[in-house]
Amino acid sequence: MDWLRRPMPSFDQAKAKLNLQDSCDLGVMTVEVDRIIGSVGRWRDFDASFRLTNPATKRRFEIISQKMQEGYEFPPVELYKVQDRYYVADGNHRVAAAKSLGVHYIDAHVREFFADPEHEAATVYWAERSAFEKATGRSDLDFARPDHYRRLLSALDRFRRQETKRHGYDLELPAVAQTWKQDIATPVRRIVRREGLTKQFPGWTEDDVVLHTIRQNYGLMRAIRGPELANYREAIAELVETHNERVASW
């Protein structure tokens, strides 16, 4: 029933509500399709689920959907970012096709917009998060503490140097950020969930607790071995081994 469909949010509505003023170019990154919730100029052509409401563009949608299923590589869509949500500036039908096909991620050229500087706490948070996402290309981390974005950037820079030494060639930060996610953060996340550690940190997200646990164990290794010999991979391997031994003894 079409009358039950919710209208699509427009960027102009968000701009007026949050008094968006400054913006910065984040470049090309991978974005979660579920976080794309509105449009800049075509919001009348879709509903809130990115289903077509304008039959005149149905053929265009079908062609794009077919090409997407065949593996055709489209150029990045253009998105405007507001906090942790995105609005389509160009590529509405590509986003609509991706959503209809169950695609989870899409490449996008992103410009982020910021709220009125009078809202100081929110401005600081999103400025920290934006700087992190621009440097790493990752937009999937939700810290409650804005300084954790800066602390993770610092940790990633140390990890990058360690990985460069291990491989024998320079590594770019976005690639290192993905390696960190897989090899460092994921094993710690399993421990955090298994032991229910988030209950010990009211107001923190799981991402906050994971980073805190990593920094705590790496800091202990630094204190014992010294800064030059401390290594994130070894610190987390020791943590996982200790955890597994404790679980085995239960």
Side-chain angles (χ1 to χ4, degrees):
M1 290 180 283
D2 290 345
W3 60 273
L4 287 176
R5 291 186 176 188
R6 292 183 296 111
M8 171 176 281
S10 74
F11 174 74
D12 285 342
Q13 291 172 336
K15 184 177 181 180
K17 180 179 180 180
L18 298 174
N19 193 18
L20 302 178
Q21 296 181 356
D22 297 331
S23 69
C24 71
D25 188 344
L26 298 183
V28 176
M29 60 176 58
T30 301
V31 172
E32 291 182 60
V33 173
D34 284 347
R35 294 196 179 195
I36 305 174
I37 55 92
S39 178
V40 177
R42 302 292 295 273
W43 53 273
R44 293 185 181 87
D45 292 346
F46 304 86
D47 67 10
S49 298
F50 267 87
R51 293 174 297 186
L52 288 175
T53 58
N54 181 1
T57 64
K58 181 179 179 181
R59 182 57 182 161
R60 181 180 180 186
F61 169 81
E62 291 174 342
I63 292 172
I64 291 174
S65 181
Q66 181 62 39
K67 286 186 175 182
M68 196 170 286
Q69 291 179 76
E70 293 171 354
Y72 180 83
E73 292 189 13
F74 291 94
V77 298
E78 299 283 334
L79 301 180
Y80 287 175
K81 184 173 185 290
V82 180
Q83 297 180 344
D84 62 345
R85 295 293 181 262
Y86 300 84
Y87 297 79
V88 185
D90 182 64
N92 289 275
H93 289 84
R94 279 172 278 165
V95 172
K99 284 180 176 285
S100 71
L101 294 172
V103 175
H104 296 296
Y105 296 93
I106 194 168
D107 289 336
H109 183 214
V110 179
R111 173 166 289 276
E112 181 165 17
F113 287 79
F114 301 96
D116 187 339
E118 289 184 5
H119 303 292
E120 185 174 354
T123 300
V124 169
Y125 176 85
W126 290 107
E128 293 280 2
R129 181 165 179 162
S130 176
F132 174 84
E133 292 180 357
K134 185 174 184 179
T136 65
R138 286 189 60 185
S139 59
D140 57 338
L141 288 170
D142 292 305
F143 291 127
R145 291 183 50 170
D147 63 307
H148 275 177
Y149 288 104
R150 185 170 63 255
R151 291 180 185 277
L152 179 52
L153 263 183
S154 179
L156 285 172
D157 187 56
R158 286 194 297 270
F159 184 58
R160 182 185 61 80
R161 294 197 297 270
Q162 293 170 10
E163 290 292 280
T164 294
K165 183 177 180 180
R166 188 167 78 95
H167 290 287
Y169 54 84
D170 290 336
L171 297 168
E172 297 294 329
L173 192 57
V176 170
Q178 290 302 318
T179 301
W180 172 281
K181 176 181 179 180
Q182 177 180 329
D183 296 351
I184 305 299
T186 296
V188 175
R189 192 176 301 278
R190 294 193 190 104
I191 294 173
V192 167
R193 290 177 178 177
R194 186 164 190 170
E195 298 193 0
L197 295 182
T198 52
K199 296 177 182 178
Q200 300 178 20
F201 299 89
W204 281 22
T205 67
E206 185 178 87
D207 289 327
D208 287 301
V209 179
V210 169
L211 178 60
H212 174 73
T213 304
I214 293 171
R215 295 182 68 244
Q216 196 173 45
N217 284 271
Y218 180 72
L220 180 61
M221 179 173 281
R222 279 173 61 97
I224 295 172
R225 296 188 182 182
E228 297 302 320
L229 297 178
N231 181 281
Y232 279 106
R233 286 188 178 275
E234 293 179 16
I236 299 312
E238 288 183 7
L239 171 64
V240 171
E241 182 179 359
T242 300
H243 172 74
N244 289 341
E245 288 176 353
R246 185 166 62 252
V247 170
S249 67
W250 289 351

